[in-house]
Amino acid sequence: MTHYHPDQFLLNDYVAGSLPGAVALPIAVHLEYCAQCREEGAQLSRLGAELFSELDPVPVGDDAFARLLERLDGKGAVPMTPLAPQRPARTRDGLPRALRSLVPTGVEELDWKRISGALRASRLGFGDPRREVALHHIRAGGKVLAHGHAGSEITVVLQGSFSDQDGRYAQGDFLVRGPGDEHRPVAAADSDCLCLAVLDAPIRLGGLLGRLANPFLRIHPR
Ligand SMILES: [Zn+2]
């Protein structure tokens, strides 16, 4: 059961299809775990359709359809999670379907970089020039260096759990950290923790040591 969800504005923009792919992705992943948000999304979608049907048609440019296809086709396209009440099926290695094309041969086959004793990371090559999309893996009981955020970081827990000063986050939980937030995640002692992380600006590091230890934390979009 998930306890941390995207807020209604984010969910509404997701349903309307107006989010950048790298922001829609973690929401699609959360929806696979969260029946409550699928239901809320379905309601927003019905409401949107009703409002839309009351509008007068607006002419669109000749290239509108071509541009839409380009968006759906190109890199960075996110498979929409069906807003059906039943839980979507997982891929073979237990990952959400929305990550299937980014992790085609399994988590262990990815190119992992060791960031510290407890943390490793793998960039997923999502194709967004302004955001980095990555998997983070924290060893059971491992602590991540305290860090602050200059921009925002969206995290969805895929396996295991971690905690910080504000709470404990388990599978499916969706978190947004904004500018000025500082935290020090610690994985649960009994299992490794795997998260999807989307960063849109460099993380501010606590000290020189952190800077030396964490070249990864300068983000590398795409
Ligand atoms: Zn939810």
Side-chain angles (χ1 to χ4, degrees):
M1 164 129 190
T2 52
H3 291 98
Y4 297 87
H5 312 266
D7 67 29
Q8 212 182 10
F9 297 105
L10 265 181
L11 197 56
N12 195 37
D13 287 349
Y14 172 85
V15 169
S18 56
L19 291 175
V23 179
L25 178 70
I27 297 177
V29 167
H30 172 79
L31 286 172
E32 294 194 39
Y33 294 106
C34 183
Q36 186 184 326
C37 283
R38 286 201 301 276
E39 171 58 29
E40 221 169 287
Q43 280 173 16
L44 288 168
S45 175
R46 281 193 294 272
L47 186 66
E50 266 167 46
L51 290 174
F52 195 73
S53 69
E54 285 166 16
L55 293 175
D56 293 328
V58 178
V60 292
D62 287 343
D63 61 341
F65 188 60
R67 276 190 285 121
L68 176 67
L69 285 182
E70 213 170 276
R71 269 187 66 189
L72 294 175
D73 218 30
K75 251 195 146 184
V78 175
M80 289 287 282
T81 298
L83 297 168
Q86 65 271 25
R87 194 185 172 106
R90 293 284 141 72
T91 59
R92 220 170 341 122
D93 54 3
L95 285 183
R97 295 172 71 87
L99 292 177
R100 191 166 48 184
S101 64
L102 293 167
V103 192
T105 53
V107 169
E108 283 312 315
E109 306 306 316
L110 292 170
D111 183 18
W112 287 96
K113 296 225 167 11
R114 190 167 166 275
I115 309 302
S116 69
L119 175 68
R120 56 192 183 124
S122 177
R123 296 182 195 111
L124 295 184
F126 188 75
D128 185 315
R130 296 198 304 130
R131 295 175 183 83
E132 177 180 287
V133 176
L135 293 185
H136 289 181
H137 179 276
I138 316 173
R139 186 168 45 73
K143 296 180 175 70
V144 176
L145 279 181
H147 60 273
H149 293 273
S152 69
E153 178 183 50
I154 301 175
T155 304
V156 185
V157 180
L158 304 175
Q159 285 159 15
S161 68
F162 76 90
S163 47
D164 63 15
Q165 71 275 15
D166 297 323
R168 177 180 173 274
Y169 316 103
Q171 191 177 57
D173 279 334
F174 180 100
L175 291 145
V176 180
R177 298 290 174 197
D181 286 347
E182 292 226 0
H183 65 144
R184 178 169 198 187
V186 182
D190 59 350
S191 66
D192 291 359
C193 181
L194 183 70
C195 296
L196 171 69
V198 178
L199 289 94
D200 74 359
I203 286 174
R204 223 181 33 254
L205 295 158
L208 179 63
L209 187 63
R211 237 175 351 257
L212 292 174
N214 282 288
F216 170 78
L217 296 178
R218 290 190 304 259
I219 73 159
H220 297 265
R222 283 189 293 277

